[in-house]
Amino acid sequence: MSRLLFLFAFGFVQLVANGQSNSDSLKVFFVGNSYTYFNNLPELVEGISESLDGPVVTSGVHTHPGINLRTHLDDGHLQKLFSSSNNESADWDVVVLQDNSWLGTHDANPETGKLSDPEVFHDAVRELHTMLGSFGASGMLYMTWAKYDFPDQTPKLASAYNEIGSELGLGVAPVGLAWATVREERPDIDLFIPDGSHPSALGSYLTASVLYAQITGMSPVGASNYIDGNAWHYGEIVDTVVDTTLAFIPEKDAEYLQRVAWRSVNDLKNSGR
């Protein structure tokens, strides 16, 4: 894959092209924080798409560690990025929006697991929806998961994402619901790293499978269990030269995660959300 990197203050914009720009490709841009760049989630979605018969995903990403969508809006980078119409990579089919895992930090309490009031998140999504529409792009929401110590966050996160998704007619990738299913059905599959927040390779693979299913409307079942790409953790600069293993999942576990992802997307769709 060929890559073009733009470094903004305290964050990254990565524009990716893999030479497969045609009617069977989708340009997907990711906006978020470490839940998006951990284990290089955009490249995991690309890798899943490349291993299946459906459309091939090419991706771009703009992230800052730990921040929410409101801060993304206020720093002005997104407006500048999406208005760069002279850059052919700016013509995105889908923009994936991921908020801070606490729905912001203005009144969250990490000690008790209390999430912030979702109204700040909702207002940011409304503004982003309007902004993206003015550039001809469609938004999609990436529902995050509950912290390891606070599984009861799942319905609150789901409600926050589904409510604003319904209001604006935006698709919601039910990543958090898929994580809850795996935690209940297969506690032997550890989706977290030891901090109880960020994803392991298994967690990122499940997340990528849900996103692929929501973005394309196609099942991720049958995707490769081995995906390589550029390493990206915390705030480190992406290594665009040397590839590394992003995910190497036992085949049976990979198939299970793929099926949970597909089931979660369809269950949310069939719920009438």
Side-chain angles (χ1 to χ4, degrees):
M1 297 182 184
S2 61
R3 280 175 169 67
L4 176 63
L5 281 176
F6 292 88
L7 176 63
F8 283 156
F10 307 111
F12 293 102
V13 173
Q14 181 182 15
L15 303 181
V16 180
N18 68 0
Q20 296 180 329
S21 178
N22 54 50
S23 59
D24 295 322
S25 66
L26 286 171
K27 288 184 176 181
V28 181
F29 196 85
F30 293 80
V31 177
N33 57 34
S34 56
Y35 278 26
T36 290
Y37 66 68
F38 226 79
N39 300 313
N40 205 339
L41 178 64
E43 273 204 74
L44 285 174
V45 177
E46 288 186 14
I48 287 172
S49 75
E50 290 166 0
S51 70
L52 296 169
D53 292 333
V56 172
V57 171
T58 59
S59 68
V61 58
H62 179 60
T63 61
H64 293 267
I67 71 169
N68 60 5
L69 292 175
R70 166 51 55 196
T71 308
H72 273 299
L73 272 169
D74 291 346
D75 72 15
H77 291 158
L78 293 180
Q79 292 89 330
K80 294 177 182 178
L81 175 66
F82 290 112
S83 63
S84 299
S85 57
N86 60 326
N87 188 324
E88 64 180 46
S89 295
D91 185 19
W92 304 105
D93 296 303
V94 180
V95 178
V96 177
L97 305 173
Q98 175 248 314
D99 199 45
N100 177 279
S101 58
W102 295 94
L103 297 177
T105 58
H106 54 286
D107 62 348
N109 187 332
E111 293 187 4
T112 65
K114 178 182 178 294
L115 299 170
S116 291
D117 186 303
E119 195 53 35
V120 172
F121 163 54
H122 290 172
D123 283 344
V125 174
R126 292 182 186 107
E127 289 186 38
L128 282 163
H129 177 61
T130 299
M131 184 188 78
L132 293 175
S134 70
F135 296 120
S138 298
M140 190 192 84
L141 300 175
Y142 159 8
M143 179 199 299
T144 56
W145 53 86
K147 308 290 186 184
Y148 181 85
D149 288 337
F150 304 111
D152 62 342
Q153 291 175 338
T154 298
K156 299 171 185 177
L157 288 164
S159 176
Y161 277 85
N162 288 333
E163 182 180 335
I164 192 65
S166 294
E167 177 187 324
L168 300 176
L170 298 176
V172 177
V175 174
L177 297 177
W179 275 57
T181 296
V182 172
R183 291 185 66 182
E184 180 179 354
E185 294 181 350
R186 290 285 306 275
D188 59 303
I189 293 181
D190 195 351
L191 302 176
F192 295 91
I193 65 170
D195 70 0
S197 174
H198 290 92
S200 65
L202 287 158
S204 290
Y205 188 87
L206 173 61
T207 300
S209 297
V210 175
L211 289 168
Y212 171 83
Q214 182 65 40
I215 290 166
T216 66
M218 301 182 67
S219 172
V221 176
S224 176
N225 66 320
Y226 173 80
I227 299 172
D228 64 1
N230 300 136
W232 195 353
H233 295 287
Y234 293 102
E236 298 174 3
I237 295 176
V238 183
D239 185 341
T240 61
V241 178
V242 180
D243 277 357
T244 188
T245 300
L246 297 178
F248 189 19
I249 313 299
E251 288 186 9
K252 290 185 178 180
D253 290 342
E255 182 180 356
Y256 168 73
L257 295 175
Q258 294 159 10
R259 292 191 181 281
V260 169
W262 186 231
R263 187 198 330 163
S264 299
V265 168
N266 283 302
D267 284 350
L268 185 59
K269 179 181 178 181
N270 294 334
S271 73
R273 204 295 304 157

